[in-house]
Amino acid sequence: TFSLLAIITPWVAPHDPYKMRVSDFNLPPMWVQSTSAPGVAEYPLGTDRYGRDVFSRLLYGTRTAMFLALTAVPLAAFIGTLIGLITGYAGGRIDAVFMLFTDMLNSLPGIMFLVIIVLIFRGLFTPSWVHGLFTLIVGFAVVAWVSLARLIRINVLQLKSQLFIEAAVGIGASPWRIMTRHLLPNVLHVVLVWIINNIPVVILLEAVLGYIGVGVTGAVDGGEFTVVSWGGMFFSGRSLMSRNPLM
């Protein structure tokens, strides 16, 4: 549903989400009929402090959230699957070093680690047109691959003792062929479930990071005027909690 909404947004959004209308700022939703600033049907959910249509921005924020989720999660899944296959099949010192490294990463809260990555790398090597998207994608991939890699490793350790793997080793199959042709198809169900479960996690993280000002838009430095995101809308709506709580 969200993917379909993201696709059709340009055709269903009633207004340009970036266009500011000074005469229509901070309008309430259309069902609020106060004497000072009554809502109008033209803006179903009202407008923000710059006169931008909230409903249109909400719809366009879907595109940002889905693009982020459908890019970051597969990237993290690719990294986690590759590392999990290699460490699980290789075993020995490689596996021991991997477990030590992942234990170190798991000792840090994931969201704190993600905030650190975003604050350090945002703006250093990303062009202005991505507006923090690339940094968030990379940051999530760096944080999230660990959990999938550990799941894949456990499954590979169980599969290594199966007869079909021993037969492949016996006929001289290379480790890479065993991992890609025999092990990978048997762990794809784990990867698929992990991807499905983490798509909403990424969307929620984007909103949380945007709320504290380190999300896609970089709302603290004016990025909210150049890209629409749910997190950026949360950030800009904090100051209107008493006057316009819907924001």
Side-chain angles (χ1 to χ4, degrees), residues 86-162:
I86 294 174
T87 56
Y89 184 76
R93 292 183 178 178
I94 294 178
D95 187 43
V97 171
F98 166 75
M99 291 302 297
L100 179 61
F101 180 66
T102 55
D103 287 340
M104 292 172 57
L105 290 180
N106 285 333
S107 65
L108 291 173
I111 190 169
M112 184 184 75
F113 193 24
L114 182 57
V115 169
I116 292 173
I117 293 175
V118 172
L119 289 178
I120 291 177
F121 294 105
R122 187 178 65 188
L124 290 183
F125 55 86
T126 56
S128 59
W129 62 270
V130 296
H131 299 296
L133 273 175
F134 180 77
T135 308
L136 270 185
I137 290 170
V138 173
F140 178 81
V142 169
V143 172
W145 68 266
V146 176
S147 61
L148 178 60
R150 293 173 74 99
L151 288 174
I152 298 299
R153 170 186 171 273
I154 293 173
N155 281 268
V156 169
L157 291 175
Q158 295 173 348
L159 291 170
K160 281 172 60 176
S161 60
Q162 300 294 318

Side-chain angles (χ1 to χ4, degrees), residues 15 18 22 37 59 81 98 125 127 158 167 178 207 215 239:
H15 295 282
Y18 305 103
V22 179
L59 291 178
T81 302
F98 166 75
F125 55 86
Q158 295 173 348
I178 292 174
S239 60

